[in-house]
Amino acid sequence: HLRKIEVSRTEYILKEMRHFLFSHSPILHPNRFGLFVLASYVAQLTQIDDWGLYAEKLMSSIQFDRLADEDLYDKEISLENGVAGVCMLMLFYNSFATHKIPFDTKKIITRIENSEVWGDWESRERIWKQNYSLNGYCGVKILLMYLRQKL
């Protein structure tokens, strides 16, 4: 009985927010990509056509070559708002989507390792201790280890 309440409440929330959400398209490609992954996942789970159409609209406006280079600054490598986060979203999307998004694993690794922040995190114990979380040094390090295994 509890499951039925959760489903109906979730459906209500999705219905209420989609009108607002569908009228927006983020300016930055990484933000647009995050919204695309969310819309694609909701479309797959709910089978509601509006979510799939919105995901397709977002997909057609994303320039994937800009995701890791132009729209993210050198220091933006974290899982929360950086290259590592975009990479995780790609991995997540590819785990459930029929049409996979190809991405250059070596390019992602190089982008992170050449970042000014990564050099600081690797060489200065004080800095990486302050950023030692799954969103900081530890999370990015785990992602790099995973990506290297895939090469």
Side-chain angles (χ1 to χ4, degrees):
H1 182 68
L2 184 61
R3 173 98 170 109
K4 190 169 188 102
I5 293 171
E6 292 172 3
V7 169
S8 65
R9 179 71 181 145
T10 303
E11 288 174 348
Y12 175 77
I13 291 169
L14 289 173
K15 183 179 178 183
E16 288 296 309
M17 69 183 258
R18 72 180 175 191
H19 299 292
F20 171 78
L21 192 62
F22 292 174
S23 67
H24 289 82
S25 181
I27 295 171
L28 295 178
H29 289 270
N31 296 343
R32 201 175 305 160
F33 179 67
L35 192 52
F36 159 73
V37 171
L38 171 74
S40 298
Y41 195 60
V42 171
Q44 184 180 27
L45 291 177
T46 64
Q47 301 297 311
I48 297 173
D49 291 337
D50 289 349
W51 285 95
L53 293 172
Y54 182 58
E56 289 174 16
K57 176 186 161 193
L58 289 169
M59 174 70 152
S60 68
S61 68
I62 297 171
Q63 295 175 0
F64 286 94
D65 55 327
R66 291 184 63 164
L67 284 176
D69 295 329
E70 294 180 37
D71 286 350
L72 293 172
Y73 296 112
D74 176 64
K75 295 180 181 182
E76 293 177 327
I77 62 169
S78 71
L79 290 170
E80 182 179 2
N81 61 1
V83 174
V86 169
C87 181
M88 289 295 290
L89 283 173
M90 285 186 184
L91 292 169
F92 174 67
Y93 178 80
N94 286 345
S95 74
F96 72 83
T98 306
H99 303 290
K100 310 295 185 210
I101 297 173
F103 66 97
D104 187 347
T105 304
K106 288 181 183 179
K107 184 177 180 180
I108 299 289
I109 292 170
T110 302
R111 169 68 169 78
I112 291 170
E113 289 178 339
N114 289 342
S115 168
E116 182 181 325
V117 172
W118 187 250
D120 284 345
W121 284 357
E122 286 280 283
S123 64
R124 297 186 193 163
E125 184 176 337
R126 179 183 60 82
I127 293 176
W128 68 257
K129 280 186 176 180
Q130 291 172 349
N131 293 287
Y132 200 77
S133 67
L134 284 178
N135 184 47
Y137 175 79
C138 190
V140 177
K141 187 76 168 178
I142 291 169
L143 177 65
L144 285 174
M145 290 180 348
Y146 175 78
L147 292 176
R148 285 190 186 104
Q149 286 178 346
K150 292 185 66 88
L151 289 177

